[in-house]
Amino acid sequence: VVAISDPKGQGRVIVCTLHPNDLSGKGRKDGNVLKEDAFIKAVPTDKRMPTILLQVNDVTRKVLKIPGRLDKYQMWPVTIVAWKESSTMPLGRLKGQCIGKAGTLEAEERHALIENELDDHDVDFVDEELDE
């Protein structure tokens, strides 16, 4: 393969859990994101997908309330923005609000809809369409 002219799945939403990106290699078990951290790891629930790096900026700080502890059981929609040939992990961004905690019925239902690209199908029909 020389190049992929029309990459399938570009813009696809991937459901992930968020974890600190520890560059020391020791691994932060407490889930704390420090003030000096530049990235967070988004680990997809679908193991076929790669771990995605999310850049920590003002938006992610506000939404995730960091620096502080990340809940490793909360599921978040993430989309891949770029993946350079020289990097081992793609860069991504949050694509919406927290889906919920893994294991809860509502969160797992939403997760299944997003993973199968049916998340826009959970909208109720307007009255005119139902009358038809």
Side-chain angles (χ1 to χ4, degrees):
V1 176
V2 177
I4 299 172
S5 63
D6 184 24
K8 183 175 176 3
Q10 189 168 7
R12 178 179 171 201
V13 178
I14 303 163
V15 178
C16 302
T17 56
L18 304 181
H19 306 272
N21 184 34
D22 184 24
L23 298 176
S24 69
K26 297 175 185 174
R28 282 188 227 150
K29 301 294 182 198
D30 59 358
N32 277 325
V33 176
L34 305 176
K35 189 176 184 179
E36 60 269 6
D37 286 345
F39 294 97
I40 297 171
K41 283 194 294 188
V43 179
T45 55
D46 184 350
K47 299 302 175 197
R48 297 173 295 176
M49 301 302 288
T51 299
I52 303 165
L53 288 177
L54 302 177
Q55 188 172 10
V56 176
N57 56 28
D58 293 336
V59 174
T60 53
R61 280 189 185 95
K62 184 178 178 181
V63 171
L64 300 174
K65 298 176 182 132
I66 53 176
R69 188 173 184 280
L70 287 174
D71 186 350
K72 65 181 178 181
Y73 299 109
Q74 283 187 336
M75 296 188 293
W76 292 84
V78 173
T79 185
I80 294 176
V81 176
W83 195 349
K84 296 182 181 177
E85 290 179 26
S86 59
S87 62
T88 57
M89 290 184 262
L91 287 176
R93 80 167 45 115
L94 291 175
K95 185 79 172 179
Q97 298 176 346
C98 178
I99 295 170
K101 284 200 175 224
T104 62
L105 182 61
E106 295 82 15
E108 294 297 337
E109 177 185 347
R110 186 93 176 113
H111 172 238
L113 288 170
I114 290 172
E115 283 290 313
N116 293 294
E117 299 176 2
L118 298 171
D119 53 324
D120 58 347
H121 287 63
D122 66 343
V123 179
D124 292 332
F125 289 103
V126 294
D127 289 334
E128 293 82 28
E129 291 173 348
L130 288 173
D131 291 340
E132 184 64 31

